[in-house]
Amino acid sequence: MKGYRILFFTQENRTIHGDTVAQWILQRARKLGAAGGTMTAGGEGFGHSGKIHSAGFFEMADRPMTVSVVTDEPTCEALMAAIAEENIDVFYCRSQVEFGRLGADQS
């Protein structure tokens, strides 16, 4: 199947409606029917400001988070529209991909 892989980059201390931005994106992608998604905590990173974000002892809330979502085009567009509607400030990369399953019971 053809579709998109979208990577969202944020920090653990950023929240919306009581969830972290990363959790909100992952949950919304699931509700919209994305093929799959993964949230990953990073050890260290930097963003547009150049500030280092890390999972250091005193800065755990500032830990970088990445959400990777794979989905078809209509679900990708619906997810991007939902993020825009909530006015969430998040950096993303979107790439066209082919995705599917191999060797597993497809039930």
Side-chain angles (χ1 to χ4, degrees), residues 52-107:
I52 296 291
H53 302 278
S54 70
F57 181 74
F58 294 106
E59 303 95 7
M60 282 301 284
D62 193 38
R63 169 168 65 171
M65 304 293 291
T66 304
V67 178
S68 176
V69 176
V70 176
T71 191
D72 59 18
E73 185 172 4
T75 305
C76 175
E77 295 305 325
L79 178 59
M80 300 302 269
I83 292 168
E85 184 177 306
E86 291 289 342
N87 198 29
I88 299 171
D89 180 15
V90 64
F91 183 80
Y92 73 93
C93 298
R94 177 171 41 182
S95 304
Q96 289 186 325
V97 295
E98 178 180 325
F99 63 95
R101 293 181 57 116
L102 297 173
D105 180 8
Q106 306 260 336
S107 58

Side-chain angles (χ1 to χ4, degrees), residues 37-58:
T38 301
M39 179 172 50
T40 306
E44 189 170 274
F46 69 92
H48 65 279
S49 69
K51 179 182 183 271
I52 296 291
H53 302 278
S54 70
F57 181 74
F58 294 106

